[in-house]
Amino acid sequence: MPTTRFSSDDEGIDAFYADLAEHDLQPLWELTGLMTAEPNPRAVPFVWRGKHLSALAERSGELITSDRRVLSLANPGLAGAPYAVPTLWAGIQYLNGREVAPAHRHSPSALRFVLSGSGVFTLVDGDPIAMEAGDLVLTPGWTWHEHHNTGAEPMAWLDGLDVPLVHYLDAVFFEPGDGSPADATAERSDSERRYGCAPGIVPVGEVPVRPHSALLTYRWADTDRALTAQLDQDTGRSAVRFVDPVSGRDVLPTLRCEMHRFLAGNQPLTRQRVGSAVGVVLRGSGSIALGDTRHEVAAGDVFAIPSWTPVTVSAESDLDVFQYSDAPVLSALGLYRERSYSPEF
Ligand code: GTQ
Ligand code: FE2
């Protein structure tokens, strides 16, 4: 099938355009939208309501038996693709009490962010990591992982993956486990014991060069302490980034993770960043302006931030927002930019 045929009022040019199409060629001078003054994302700024997410996840728990019971957050601008933004997957995973999501591994990297509940252990290459509210847990690309709900109560959490990006790059690999669940539990994961004991202290010896963080979980108590310590009293804001304690780099080669705190009545700041992001409200309430639209948000709400969308957060009660983005990719390619300014309300 020949490619798009362009047309012209000039007979000679029109015939030329027909021949171009016949040979699967297109004239640059007729193309629009290739070079825009600024990013022009197809994804739209969007909010999924926490109350809907939890109710629907709960129904999936009653109705569906599946290895991975996950509702994918599908951005309405992305033509039916199951992606929150063009490069990132966001999903609500739900495990009933005593349920297991069996082991597998894949080249896309994943993170889990827990909004509430407890009882689930994620085993990453056999290392059991307990998941509790406010915790960030990593399952880097090609690590084996399985989830065990050791409690009687169901538990849900947010999954963030780079699936769409890896898919566009035609780099998806997947391997199922052998089906025998390794149901280890531990007070503290091996990864935390070695790399999460104290800030800046890591074991002596050869550190294996890995593209991802040596520390596989970041506990809420630590995040909370950092946010409190770094609060700017004038602006009522603090923001922290999660990094590999060994290299100082982002936690995953494709994903940057941050936690932002806004005290009630904070001084707002508008931020624009190149690349796509997903945010989730852990605690508090307020309004988040995405472009020209202000959304009232509360704990559990998840939102999509397409590239270069101005974001302004105003807290009504102290607000904690977790965010993950594809910034390491943009950065590695020399494409990252950001700017911030005082909003004009
Ligand atoms: O927990 O292993 O939301 O493989 C999507 C793909 C979760 C998982 C998702 C996955 C997983
Ligand atoms: Fe997985």
Side-chain angles (χ1 to χ4, degrees), residues 247-261:
S247 70
R249 291 194 305 235
D250 283 299
V251 290
L252 293 164
T254 48
L255 301 174
R256 173 168 296 173
C257 295
E258 299 173 349
M259 192 87 201
H260 295 249
R261 174 164 292 171

Side-chain angles (χ1 to χ4, degrees), residues 68 93 102-106 108 110 112 139 143-147 159 161 174:
R68 284 294 185 282
Q93 185 159 174
H104 64 219
R105 61 176 176 174
H106 36 67
R112 330 273 163 202
T139 51
T143 55
W144 292 102
H145 52 282
E146 54 191 282
H147 317 306
D159 288 323
L161 287 92
F174 178 92

Side-chain angles (χ1 to χ4, degrees), residues 109-130:
S109 292
L111 60 87
R112 330 273 163 202
F113 188 76
V114 186
L115 293 169
S116 65
S118 64
V120 170
F121 282 84
T122 289
L123 278 70
V124 182
D125 280 339
D127 191 14
I129 302 172

Side-chain angles (χ1 to χ4, degrees), residues 87 105 116 163 169 230 272:
T87 49
R105 61 176 176 174
S116 65
V163 171
L169 295 171
Q230 294 179 34
Q272 274 178 287

